[in-house]
Amino acid sequence: MSLFTVSTPFNISLEFALAPFYKRALAWMADLIILFLYSYIMIFFVYDMLYDGRRLSWRNAVGMEFALALFTLVFPVMFYHLLFEVLMNGRSPGKWLMGIKVINREGASATLSQLLLRWMLFLPNYFLVIVVGAEAPVYFLGIAFILALVALPDIISILVSTDSQRLGDLAAGTVVVDVHHKMNIADTIYMDITETSYIPSYPEVLQLSDRDIHVIRNLIGRKRNKDVERHIYQVAYKIEEVLAVKMAGAPDAFLQQLLKDYNYLTQQKK
């Protein structure tokens, strides 16, 4: 589980579990199904009753019929995600079902301007109107495939970015987190050292605080890219300097050893 850490002005670290990709994909599919059902009901039932069995197509409508279709069908479909994320505090119905939501990088609720910017920079929002043209449920999979192709740059961004952000998130300073994730012992700095003859390599690690150890643990647990690797090197060499020790092995292995030594030494003190 990838974690997102926020440092508060009170020197307290808040941790959020980043929403896994599969949950984001399922939430998006759930929202697409809702939009399809809404459009289908409006076109084949509501409009059918309003116009005495005469099927209304928003593409061929004129005058009042066009205005009705525009404001009760096209606009609701296009602005669906923005509207619900504003009204439901960073959630769409699909996100609510999957237990995920949008927050800003300070750990607070995303602002209106942030939600607007991430909506504007998500290309499939401009193509959602094709859902309105689906005249049968069989079209749904084709529409989903087309929208997935349009979203490919964002999918790649989610998979490669450090905090699983799509392009709109990167620009708006937002992340999508899993609000149902329960922290367990594996998400803490605790490590169970079962070796009875264990000898710490760096007893100087006790000079570090729990907060420092949290930072190390979160850093080595992040998805690797060039920025994270560079940060690992910087942190490792800085700790080597502060503790006045000689790093044995690679920076990543050094930080892992520090975590293990810290756990062993603090457990022995209890």
Side-chain angles (χ1 to χ4, degrees), residues 249-262:
D252 195 326
F254 173 60
L255 296 182
Q256 290 278 7
Q257 187 62 46
L258 288 177
L259 285 180
K260 195 172 181 180
D261 289 351
Y262 187 85

Side-chain angles (χ1 to χ4, degrees), residues 108-139:
S109 297
T111 64
L112 175 60
S113 59
Q114 288 176 315
L115 293 174
L116 178 60
L117 182 57
R118 75 186 301 275
W119 176 86
M120 291 174 61
L121 294 179
F122 190 46
L123 286 178
N125 286 329
Y126 299 95
F127 292 85
L128 276 177
V129 70
I130 64 177
V131 174
V132 175
E135 297 183 356
V138 70
Y139 294 163

Side-chain angles (χ1 to χ4, degrees), residues 10-122:
F10 302 102
N11 205 33
I12 298 174
S13 294
L14 302 178
E15 289 185 336
F16 300 89
L18 293 171
F21 178 77
Y22 80 90
K23 281 197 172 186
R24 297 181 69 163
L26 288 175
W28 182 79
M29 285 297 294
D31 285 324
L32 192 59
I33 290 172
I34 291 171
L35 286 172
F36 175 79
L37 291 176
Y38 172 79
S39 300
Y40 195 82
I41 291 171
M42 289 296 294
I43 292 173
F44 293 99
F45 293 94
V46 177
Y47 293 162
D48 192 62
M49 289 188 295
L50 286 175
Y51 292 94
D52 297 324
R54 179 170 58 88
R55 183 173 298 175
L56 172 65
S57 170
W58 71 273
R59 291 168 295 185
N60 301 321
V62 293
M64 289 298 295
E65 293 180 350
F66 178 80
L68 177 65
L70 193 65
F71 286 100
T72 63
L73 190 60
V74 179
F75 284 170
V77 168
M78 288 190 63
F79 293 98
Y80 168 89
H81 285 95
L82 177 62
L83 177 65
F84 276 109
E85 286 181 1
V86 170
L87 296 179
M88 296 176 62
N89 192 27
R91 294 185 179 97
S92 64
K95 289 185 176 69
W96 175 79
L97 287 171
M98 296 307 303
I100 62 178
K101 68 177 292 187
V102 181
I103 64 171
N104 63 28
R105 292 191 63 86
E106 287 71 47
S109 297
T111 64
L112 175 60
S113 59
Q114 288 176 315
L115 293 174
L116 178 60
L117 182 57
R118 75 186 301 275
W119 176 86
M120 291 174 61
L121 294 179
F122 190 46

Side-chain angles (χ1 to χ4, degrees), residues 216-248:
I216 294 172
R217 195 264 303 161
N218 289 338
L219 179 60
I220 61 179
R222 300 181 84 175
K223 288 192 298 187
R224 298 304 169 88
N225 57 34
K226 290 184 178 180
D227 289 336
V228 173
E229 293 288 352
R230 183 168 60 250
H231 196 187
I232 287 175
Y233 270 71
Q234 292 172 343
V235 170
Y237 284 109
K238 181 63 177 178
I239 292 176
E240 182 186 44
E241 178 186 340
V242 170
L243 298 183
V245 298
K246 183 64 177 177
M247 188 189 312

Side-chain angles (χ1 to χ4, degrees), residues 120-160:
M120 291 174 61
L121 294 179
F122 190 46
L123 286 178
N125 286 329
Y126 299 95
F127 292 85
L128 276 177
V129 70
I130 64 177
V131 174
V132 175
E135 297 183 356
V138 70
Y139 294 163
F140 177 78
L141 290 179
I143 291 172
F145 178 74
I146 292 171
L147 293 176
L149 285 180
V150 175
L152 193 57
D154 289 284
I155 293 173
I156 295 173
S157 178
I158 290 171
L159 295 176
V160 303

